[in-house]
Amino acid sequence: MSLKRKIALTLSVSFSLLFGIVLIIIYISFDDFRREEFKDRFIRRLGFTTNFISKSKNFEEEAPIFFNENSDNFLLNETILIFNGQKELIYSTLKDQKVTWDKNILIELDKEKDIYKEKSIPEVYASLKTINGENYYILTSAYDTNGKSKLAYLKYLLITAFITCTLLIGFFSYYFMGKFLRPLEDLNKEISEVTAHKLTTQIPVEQSNDEISILASSFNTMISRLNDVFQSQKDFTASASHEIRTPITRMAFQLENLIKLEQHSPDTLSALQQMLKDVYQLSDLTNSLLLLTKFDKENIQTIYEEVRIDEVIFESFDRVQKSYPYLKMDFGISEETQENAFLTINGVQSLLDIVFINLLKNAAVYSDNANAKILITETENHLSVDILSEGKTISEEEQPKLFEAFMRGNNSQNISGSGLGLRIVKRILEYHGAEISYASPAENQNKFSIIFNK
């Protein structure tokens, strides 16, 4: 999830929770106010009724007229029951209906004097009053139709407001976060375009003191420093490789001339030949480093050309055979290869030469019979090259580190080498979007498999 969405979602959720809590408090407060207001209406009705009883000369005759005229002044759908001191019903607003009541309320009134049952349906307010020296039990019940209707309407409004405001805050949060973070997205786009060959590119910095401008300025400073370090390293590698080539070539020439002389003893001649092999290996390593300094993953595709992989293999074999004349190659094309296959890939031939020179050298040095079997398979989507040789295999513990720098397995004991060959091979194949792997399909058999994507 993007930063913009995370911030917008966090703001929306936080606002929704706070707004929801506020609305719940409003709803509860209004409900409390409704209940208190309804109870107050009961009390005022009781006082009105008490006042009427105290001033009435003939209660039973005047009561029907009085309550009919004042039935809607305080409560809606009210029912009033009046009992005398002996708990006998002396008046009821219900006409032509069977009157029932809870006798326990009358008993409780002897102790509590006032009782309010707001959870009952309808709500009941009862009181024991002494009027003109006589006790009267007055029970008043009513439905708070108006209050509950207002409460229901308020609930509907609050829910609608909550949903509407949540959607609006979500929309505006996402919109404004996108607007605020657009400079950061532009910065990310500029950074993603910086490569090893574009370290001199500076990101535009706006004249402001916000965090994004400070970040862009710091990034430009870091890029400048990295460019200095990278360029120094690159220049040193290129210069060193170039300068080393001259004395290496001179050494190889002199060793070749010495070997041609016939006055050497067998031991001396063997030592000279081994020295010449080491010089050739050092020369190949220097050439490889010099080539690698010229390319990286970003710019190598600009110089791709169509390369026939079989021609690369034969040219590499001819170059290796000059140093290892006893090396033999068994070249073949798999039956799975398509009939119209051209055995071509897009790449840099000079770098691919290094790949197969190193692998064929390994076959010459580490195999028991100095024989390399090469099998090419081309399908619609891939071109694979398998290089097999017979000899001591690499242990399972060493295989994961086989392509690391300076890694040399147990099978390389007493054999000279730098431990950089396979690391360079893997780096070049990565530049070409290819993969290399090692396996031992049978006892005493080594297999390197290269897969190029077409």
Side-chain angles (χ1 to χ4, degrees), residues 84-277:
N84 58 21
Q86 290 73 38
K87 298 184 179 59
E88 296 174 348
L89 181 63
I90 59 175
Y91 178 78
S92 171
T93 56
L94 295 176
K95 304 299 181 183
D96 302 325
Q97 296 183 34
K98 184 178 180 180
V99 181
T100 59
W101 62 90
D102 187 355
K103 295 181 179 180
N104 292 327
I105 295 179
L106 301 179
I107 298 174
E108 291 179 16
L109 285 176
D110 292 331
K111 299 178 181 179
E112 302 295 336
K113 305 302 179 181
D114 290 288
I115 297 174
Y116 179 51
K117 295 188 176 182
E118 59 180 341
K119 295 183 179 180
S120 63
I121 301 176
E123 296 181 32
V124 176
Y125 187 84
S127 180
L128 173 60
K129 296 292 183 181
T130 302
I131 303 173
N132 298 328
E134 296 185 13
N135 291 334
Y136 289 90
Y137 297 87
I138 304 173
L139 276 62
T140 307
S141 62
Y143 295 94
D144 190 11
T145 306
N146 189 36
K148 290 188 176 180
S149 176
K150 291 179 180 179
L151 187 65
Y153 183 67
L154 177 64
K155 181 180 179 181
Y156 167 78
L157 287 179
L158 295 179
I159 292 175
T160 304
F162 177 78
I163 295 174
T164 304
C165 291
T166 299
L167 294 176
L168 288 176
I169 196 63
F171 171 77
F172 284 111
S173 295
Y174 187 81
Y175 173 77
F176 285 111
M177 282 304 106
K179 205 168 183 180
F180 294 149
L181 295 178
R182 187 169 296 130
L184 189 60
E185 294 178 354
D186 295 339
L187 176 63
N188 179 53
K189 183 178 179 181
E190 294 286 345
I191 292 175
S192 64
E193 294 178 356
V194 175
T195 64
H197 286 266
K198 292 179 64 178
L199 288 178
T200 56
T201 303
Q202 293 289 299
I203 296 172
V205 179
E206 296 183 0
Q207 298 299 324
S208 62
N209 294 323
D210 60 14
E211 288 79 0
I212 296 177
S213 298
I214 296 173
L215 177 62
S217 178
S218 300
F219 182 81
N220 287 336
T221 303
M222 181 190 69
I223 284 294
S224 298
R225 294 173 180 172
L226 285 177
N227 181 59
D228 293 340
V229 174
F230 181 79
Q231 196 62 41
S232 299
Q233 181 185 16
K234 188 175 180 179
D235 292 343
F236 171 78
T237 305
S239 300
S241 299
H242 181 75
E243 294 297 328
I244 290 174
R245 291 174 67 182
T246 300
I248 289 177
T249 303
R250 190 181 300 117
M251 290 170 59
F253 179 74
Q254 292 175 354
L255 286 170
E256 288 175 353
N257 290 336
L258 282 173
I259 291 173
K260 290 179 181 179
L261 298 177
E262 298 179 354
Q263 66 267 32
H264 302 301
S265 65
D267 292 340
T268 302
L269 181 62
S270 176
L272 290 173
Q273 290 174 341
Q274 182 60 46
M275 291 172 62
L276 183 61
K277 288 182 181 180

Side-chain angles (χ1 to χ4, degrees), residues 356-402:
F356 289 100
I357 287 174
N358 275 283
L359 293 176
L360 289 171
K361 274 187 179 180
N362 281 351
V365 173
Y366 297 109
S367 65
D368 295 335
N369 53 7
N371 183 56
K373 181 179 180 181
I374 296 181
L375 182 65
I376 296 180
T377 304
E378 183 175 3
T379 62
E380 184 178 353
N381 300 319
H382 302 93
L383 188 151
S384 62
V385 182
D386 294 332
I387 303 174
L388 295 95
S389 61
E390 295 183 359
K392 188 175 179 180
T393 60
I394 306 241
S395 64
E396 293 184 0
E397 293 79 11
E398 295 175 330
Q399 288 181 19
K401 300 180 180 179
L402 183 61

Side-chain angles (χ1 to χ4, degrees), residues 42-81:
F42 270 124
I43 295 173
R44 284 188 288 134
R45 183 57 167 170
L46 177 64
F48 191 74
T49 303
T50 303
N51 184 59
F52 165 70
I53 296 175
S54 64
K55 294 182 179 180
S56 175
K57 296 179 180 180
N58 192 340
F59 174 75
E60 295 183 359
E61 292 182 1
E62 296 178 1
I65 300 174
F66 173 81
F67 286 110
N68 285 336
E69 292 178 350
N70 299 278
S71 59
D72 295 329
N73 290 344
F74 296 98
L75 302 169
L76 296 176
N77 302 320
E78 68 173 344
T79 300
I80 299 175
L81 302 179

Side-chain angles (χ1 to χ4, degrees), residues 23-40:
L23 295 183
I24 291 173
I25 293 174
I26 292 174
Y27 180 81
I28 295 174
S29 299
F30 184 82
D31 186 43
D32 291 338
F33 172 77
R34 177 201 65 83
R35 289 187 283 107
E36 291 297 326
E37 191 267 344
F38 193 59
K39 181 179 179 182
D40 184 63

